[in-house]
Amino acid sequence: MVSKITVEETPGGYSSVFESGTVGSGSKFSGKDDENIHLIEERYPVRIVLRGENITVQGPDRDAVEMVSDLIDQMLRIASKGHAIRAAEIRYGMDMIAKRGSVDLEALYDDLLCMTARGKPVRPKTLGQRAYIKAIRENDVVFGIGPAGTGKTYLAVCEAVNMLKSGAISRIVLVRPAVEAGESLGFLPGDLKEKVEPYLRPLYDAFFDLLSPERFMRYVDKNVIEVAPLAYMRGRTLNDSFIILDEAQNTSPEQMKMFLTRLGFGSKAVVTGDLTQVDLPSGKRSGLFVVQDILEGVKGIDFIRLENVDVVRHEIVQRVVAAYERHEERQREKQETGNCSTAAQS
């Protein structure tokens, strides 16, 4: 049990004291070499002191002390259940507070999605990821749209494996458009499976983590897991299947329609993509972009839009995504200003 003492006024400003009833919760919260404490102190004008299982938050600004106190209260509750708190969770909590004014992190740790082949638990790491998983479980078709590192593909594979193990589906179908990311791969030797493997490597990596490479390859050999380029989906009807269309930003509108009409009875489809990384020829519209206007609001279909705050890779990835978003916004503003100037002159 974790109890929080109310923020009190002191001669130097304000302070709040926490006491954990579970041995080790304080150290689980503080992280290696007090890394988590240093992260909070860098973001907010507070000083955090850890003595045994007691944590004191001090600072000249009451709002900052209350904000940090609420975040630490949540983290201590999570730590009291045996979870180690990582720096990524601290950063995410602070980012969400900055974005929305508050954050509820406890629910993330209570939602176990699956176990990896090595016995490591897989949980949603952000509220956006939690909403994505919920949408997959409740809808027949889900579009996961967002930047790199938000877990779109990995979480879809996780749910596919869960459904396969429970017997809810009989096979998993992995689909990807064969479009190079701005470079030519040239002639690829081998059979169809070997030709398409380079394009499906991100999906393979997720399966290797969740099933082990050996078990995954056994499933592929038995056709329980099928690998198919998008072009080979035409004319098929897929029953009792979990179908994942990855890199969907590189589909044409016609290909997207063709894919979505492959669904048979007892099947579920997850479509993932990043609209900032379209590799189609210049002037060709992305099927993932067009489909949002066509299918928004259709029953049984949901669109989940993940953001840079949902990036769960190395912290630098989140910074890169944010930097590109700022650059693209500046480019749009310049273009709009130029268009206005041209219109005014004419």
Side-chain angles (χ1 to χ4, degrees):
M1 183 66 183
V2 178
S3 60
K4 183 180 76 172
I5 297 177
T6 307
V7 174
E8 297 179 348
E9 189 169 3
T10 64
Y14 300 89
S15 69
S16 179
V17 180
F18 299 80
E19 181 181 352
S20 170
T22 303
V23 176
S25 294
S27 59
K28 285 188 176 71
F29 157 73
S30 62
K32 183 181 179 181
D33 298 325
D34 292 339
E35 178 185 21
N36 297 340
I37 290 177
H38 296 324
L39 281 173
I40 297 174
E41 290 179 334
E42 288 173 6
R43 181 79 68 97
Y44 300 104
V46 298
R47 181 171 178 264
I48 302 171
V49 180
L50 174 62
R51 289 192 180 92
E53 296 306 314
N54 291 337
I55 298 176
T56 303
V57 181
Q58 301 170 332
D61 182 77
R62 185 185 186 96
D63 290 340
V65 171
E66 288 181 343
M67 197 176 299
V68 171
S69 297
D70 180 66
L71 178 61
I72 294 177
D73 186 34
Q74 291 189 52
M75 291 301 180
L76 285 176
R77 290 180 187 278
I78 293 167
S80 69
K81 297 176 183 178
H83 301 295
I85 308 300
R86 301 182 307 166
E89 278 88 37
I90 297 291
R91 291 193 192 96
Y92 173 69
M94 294 189 296
D95 289 343
M96 289 300 292
I97 290 172
K99 188 178 181 67
R100 299 181 183 176
S102 63
V103 64
D104 178 11
L105 296 172
E106 287 185 73
L108 298 179
Y109 287 84
D110 294 334
D111 196 354
L112 177 64
L113 303 181
C114 61
M115 303 291 287
T116 68
R118 296 182 177 182
K120 182 180 178 181
V122 177
R123 295 181 175 88
K125 293 182 172 62
T126 71
L127 298 177
Q129 288 189 350
R130 188 166 183 248
Y132 179 47
I133 289 293
K134 184 173 184 289
I136 292 175
R137 291 173 177 173
E138 296 178 354
N139 294 275
D140 297 317
V141 179
V142 172
F143 291 83
I145 303 173
T150 50
K152 305 182 298 295
T153 300
Y154 190 91
L155 294 176
V157 170
C158 184
E159 280 302 293
V161 170
N162 280 343
M163 292 187 69
L164 183 65
K165 288 180 176 179
S166 69
I169 57 168
S170 59
R171 63 175 167 171
I172 300 170
V173 182
L174 311 178
V175 185
R176 209 177 191 198
V179 177
E180 294 103 346
E183 57 195 59
S184 177
L185 299 179
F187 174 74
L188 294 173
D191 59 20
L192 174 61
K193 176 176 168 292
E194 291 170 331
K195 288 177 186 292
V196 79
E197 267 188 354
Y199 299 101
L200 291 164
R201 181 53 58 181
L203 287 164
Y204 278 33
D205 291 342
F207 276 104
F208 288 171
D209 191 33
L210 295 169
L211 291 175
S212 82
E214 296 78 16
R215 189 175 183 187
F216 171 73
M217 295 312 300
R218 285 200 302 271
Y219 278 146
V220 171
D221 291 339
K222 294 178 180 179
N223 213 32
V224 174
I225 297 178
E226 180 185 350
V227 176
L230 181 59
Y232 284 73
M233 295 294 289
R234 189 174 298 278
R236 299 185 61 184
T237 300
L238 301 173
N239 296 315
D240 298 317
S241 303
F242 194 114
I243 313 148
I244 302 173
L245 172 58
D246 199 31
E247 297 292 334
Q249 74 274 8
N250 290 326
T251 62
S252 67
E254 295 77 19
Q255 287 175 321
M256 180 63 75
K257 180 181 177 182
M258 180 271 290
F259 171 80
L260 292 172
T261 53
R262 300 307 94 201
L263 251 68
F265 294 109
S267 290
K268 186 183 292 285
V270 176
V271 180
T272 70
D274 178 1
L275 287 169
T276 68
Q277 297 192 44
V278 178
D279 300 311
L280 295 170
S282 179
K284 194 167 185 179
R285 300 189 75 192
S286 167
L288 184 60
F289 180 80
V290 173
V291 77
Q292 295 180 83
D293 289 333
I294 298 173
L295 297 183
E296 190 78 65
V298 174
K299 186 177 180 181
I301 298 176
D302 200 1
F303 289 84
I304 300 297
R305 295 171 178 86
L306 300 167
E307 304 171 308
N308 66 333
V309 73
D310 295 302
V311 172
V312 293
R313 292 182 185 169
H314 192 288
E315 183 188 4
I316 198 67
V317 176
Q318 192 176 60
R319 295 176 186 171
V320 167
V321 171
Y324 269 93
E325 287 180 351
R326 290 194 297 270
H327 172 73
E328 289 164 5
E329 182 63 29
R330 289 195 298 270
Q331 294 298 107
R332 283 193 295 269
E333 290 175 355
K334 287 181 181 179
Q335 186 175 4
E336 290 171 1
T337 302
N339 292 339
C340 290
S341 299
T342 302
Q345 291 173 4
S346 59

